[in-house]
Amino acid sequence: MIAEFNRKANVLKYILFSCLSFLISITATLSIADDTSVEKKDGEDFFLNDSSLDDSVFSDEDLFIEENIEKEDSWLSFFRYSGLLSHKTSYSYLHKGVDITGSKSKLNLKLSVSPSDSFWKLKFNWVGFYDSAYHIQGRSSFTKDTLDTYETDSEFKELYLDVDFTNWLNLRVGRQFFSWGETQISQISDVGNPRNFRELGLQDLDSIRQSVSASKLTFFGNNWEYNLIAIHEMRQHELSTDGSEFDPYITIRSNQVIIDNEIDLADSLSNTEFLTRLFFSGHLGDISLYAANVYEDLPILDLTSVDINTGVVHFTPVYERTNVYGLFGNVVSSSFLFKYDLARKTGMPVIRSSDNIFNQINSNPFNVQSFETKSIDQWMLGVEYSGINETSVVFEYSGQYIEDHHDDLADEESSHKVSLYVSHDMLHDTLLPTFWWSYDFTERTNLFKIESSYAYTDEIKLILGISGFLVGDKDSFYHPYRNNDRLYFALEYGF
Amino acid sequence: MKKSQKISLVALFKIVLLTMLYQAPLHAEELSGYDIIYNAEERYNGDSRENNSTMVMINARGEKRIRKMKQYRKDFGENLKDEKTMTFFTSPSDINNTAYLNFDWDEENKDDDSWLFLPALKKVKRLASADKSDAFLGSDFTYTDIGSSKRHFWNYTVINESDMVDGHDCWVVEGLPREEIKGKVIRETGYQKVNIWVRKDIFMKVKGKFWIKKGKRIKYFKVSEAAKIGDVWVAVTQQMVTTKAKRVEHQTVMKMSNIKYNVPLDDSFFTTQQMKRGL
């Protein structure tokens, strides 16, 4: 078994190395071809001294365009629709049991209705998927929760009505996104939209945010905006289920520790969450100041009962209401964009250490406090550089500090992580290799994703990628997930 | 003011204008390369504009890709020299609902302000002043080509006083990077040298040849259709062809339609809020 494991580890390393080599070689080949082939043949002077203009290079494409414009005008005035049909197959080289980890077919339909020059707009954005990997592997191998969550699902990502009362007042009612904050990695300022953590941060960025039903009133001028938001739908982070490979409680669950079903928050008036933001924009950059009274979207484990006879401990995931104040924005300087997210969160639940909880159980099992609330400061400082031809480089450093920290808490007083994202457009934007890497100093773990997408036509796109964890040691939170690597291939058809 | 007085004032204005126009060719003979480019770029183009654009990109194998967008432009600031532009991309589906907002300042060394709304991330993103030699949407037009030309980067010389293009008399103006900022100019624009054909009658750039440092390529530009809409001459169809060793590598045809000038566009239209709302 160990030999098999080592073999697979070597295969993964080989694949990873091959992908990197592939990307580097493409870039290098194109760069070398750019710089040498013609230089040897013609030389610089030939070009610079030749002022003639060769008309034969131009082709007549006018008729082709005319046909397209006619087609466009007949549809665009009232309804706009688009969609995406995709299939993604994922394979896990290091996985111990299941190799085909995903075979997901997904349909995304978007429709907007807006009569020209009207004061209102209706938008639908629906996504549904079916993952046949569970059927291929045998459905009996998986828990009901896992099948319910991962095998098939559908939802309205967006379903809202936009109303412009005047040219400075807008109301948006329905399921929507707010997408606050500058960071793409951590959830610091983006407290309105919960996250999808079903793959612990390895999922696509465009599917990580979750929408909520809310009413958003926006007052705005030429260079400012003020938002008042009431969230009516109590929706929290989507976590993996019991029995799935990304189950966040995988190390806690045992015969002695039971994680009960969480207590859902009702979509009631008293639970309504409130957010407000003031945004300014100027030549030097943008800035947003905000405040929110919301539920922390990550549940905290509340010890609900201890069976003295059997020693079985029951925890229930619960949600705590918090206050958040902060600012985020950016400063532009030439090809650099410096960005920041700063937040102070009060009433944040912090879990106590397992030693502390078991000491409490031993001394008085009927009065155990498994967590306490603290004020937490969070920040992100980042820089984006776009001065390299067709290339974007983004670096972020983020961290958090728990105030009034003491040794009985499970989390460390401060934690830090860094991330790097690089993308490079090639072949007239048809080939896009991207590289993302993040290192969590507290958990001593690397997360990575290397992906390359190729637009075969305007409608058809091919995607090849690899993602996973490189875990430092057994104490890391990510250690149980160290084999959940992914090698994936996707085919997308847009319409 | 009486109607007859109004008419006489209008008539007087027309006479003065006609006199100026008749004198223009005489002055034009004496125009420097810089003056010609200045006049071409600063000629009246309306205080606002609304149009659709279709961009066809064709690779060496003749395979086509099409981008469609709806664009809005409004002049603002003192003397209406600054420009705000909003572009909504409508096709293909993977860029549908993407919006690009740009403030182009007349001040020479002031970078543009730009924002991009990414529908996949549901987020308005502030953009740094990107590499101006980057391709616009993967086309053969760069941000330099579609944005402000930065005249102060170049030394312009008239290399041909008269060259006929599609039956129209043109100046041929050569642009070389100013020596003291040569490296910066080549780095930011990607061009080592430019030749521009400007029609004498309407001061429109109708042809161009661009020497690209990277890869030693040459790009050719041509206005294949020009039209007068109201008082404004506009390049309706433009082509840009990238060649290497005299072989066509890639080309782009950009055509505008439904062009309307001096349409009433509220300032609130050119905001990040409007980007999120979309068309």
Side-chain angles (χ1 to χ4, degrees), chain A residues 83-154:
Chain A
L84 183 76
L85 184 62
S86 66
H87 185 83
K88 182 176 181 180
T89 303
S90 311
Y91 188 78
S92 178
Y93 270 89
L94 293 181
H95 213 283
K96 286 178 181 173
V98 182
D99 285 334
I100 299 286
T101 51
S103 179
K104 186 186 280 187
S105 301
K106 190 164 83 173
L107 178 64
N108 183 196
L109 296 171
K110 295 175 186 173
L111 171 70
S112 66
V113 183
S114 177
S116 57
D117 300 326
S118 72
F119 66 96
W120 63 271
K121 179 181 181 179
L122 198 57
K123 183 163 184 181
F124 302 85
N125 178 359
W126 177 89
V127 175
F129 70 81
Y130 171 70
D131 195 333
S132 58
Y134 298 92
H135 179 75
I136 294 167
Q137 297 295 331
R139 298 180 83 247
S140 56
S141 312
F142 302 94
T143 62
K144 184 178 181 301
D145 280 352
T146 300
L147 293 173
D148 287 348
T149 306
Y150 289 96
E151 189 178 35
T152 183
D153 202 0
S154 68

Side-chain angles (χ1 to χ4, degrees), chain A residues 47-48 52 164 181 384, chain B residues 123 125 193 207 209 211 277:
Chain A
F47 293 109
L48 292 179
S52 64
D164 290 316
E384 297 183 14
Chain B
K123 195 175 173 66
K125 192 177 175 326
K193 175 183 159 181
K207 275 195 176 183
K209 187 171 180 179
W211 283 259
R277 189 187 184 280

Side-chain angles (χ1 to χ4, degrees), chain A residues 151-283:
Chain A
E151 189 178 35
T152 183
D153 202 0
S154 68
E155 68 163 315
F156 278 104
K157 301 286 276 186
E158 290 173 292
L159 176 55
Y160 62 75
L161 176 70
D162 244 334
V163 183
D164 290 316
F165 293 107
T166 68
N167 58 4
W168 51 266
L169 180 60
N170 170 271
L171 175 67
R172 180 175 289 186
V173 183
R175 223 175 203 205
Q176 57 188 290
F177 294 92
F178 313 114
S179 303
W180 287 3
E182 294 285 333
T183 175
Q184 293 288 6
I185 310 304
S186 309
Q187 191 197 30
I188 296 175
S189 305
D190 193 20
V191 290
N193 293 120
R195 302 280 169 130
N196 176 353
F197 285 128
R198 288 177 178 176
E199 290 184 20
L200 284 183
L202 288 184
Q203 61 272 49
D204 298 334
L205 271 180
D206 59 0
S207 62
I208 200 166
R209 281 194 181 88
Q210 302 289 307
S211 54
V212 288
S213 296
S215 303
K216 182 173 81 168
L217 196 61
T218 302
F219 304 85
F220 63 100
N222 291 349
N223 62 348
W224 63 273
E225 190 180 314
Y226 179 64
N227 307 125
L228 271 172
I229 299 169
I231 298 177
H232 315 298
E233 180 187 14
M234 295 302 102
R235 194 175 186 192
Q236 286 75 38
H237 293 330
E238 302 247 3
L239 304 178
S240 289
T241 55
D242 183 11
S244 69
E245 56 181 341
F246 288 106
D247 175 11
Y249 304 126
I250 204 163
T251 53
I252 304 172
R253 292 185 208 273
S254 68
N255 292 333
Q256 297 297 307
V257 177
I258 307 293
I259 312 288
D260 294 326
N261 290 333
E262 65 184 39
I263 300 168
D264 288 332
L265 292 168
D267 297 340
S268 64
L269 198 61
S270 60
N271 278 338
T272 302
E273 298 174 307
F274 298 99
L275 300 91
T276 183
R277 178 183 80 132
L278 182 59
F279 163 80
F280 288 105
S281 179
H283 180 61

Side-chain angles (χ1 to χ4, degrees), chain B residues 59-75:
Chain B
N59 67 15
R61 295 189 296 277
E63 295 161 343
K64 298 182 178 79
R65 291 188 298 137
I66 300 168
R67 302 279 176 273
K68 290 179 186 172
M69 60 205 98
K70 193 160 179 67
Q71 295 172 307
Y72 302 85
R73 195 208 76 216
K74 184 179 183 180
D75 295 345

Side-chain angles (χ1 to χ4, degrees), chain A residues 183 185-186 188 339-342 378-383 394-401 414-420 438-439 441:
Chain A
T183 175
I185 310 304
S186 309
I188 296 175
K339 56 185 191 175
Y340 54 88
D341 269 276
L342 305 168
Q378 295 178 331
W379 61 87
M380 183 283 299
L381 300 171
V383 60
V394 183
F395 178 79
E396 291 185 8
Y397 156 67
S398 56
Q400 76 163 19
Y401 176 78
S414 60
S415 55
H416 312 271
K417 60 182 165 186
V418 292
S419 71
L420 177 70
S438 176
Y439 182 72
F441 288 92

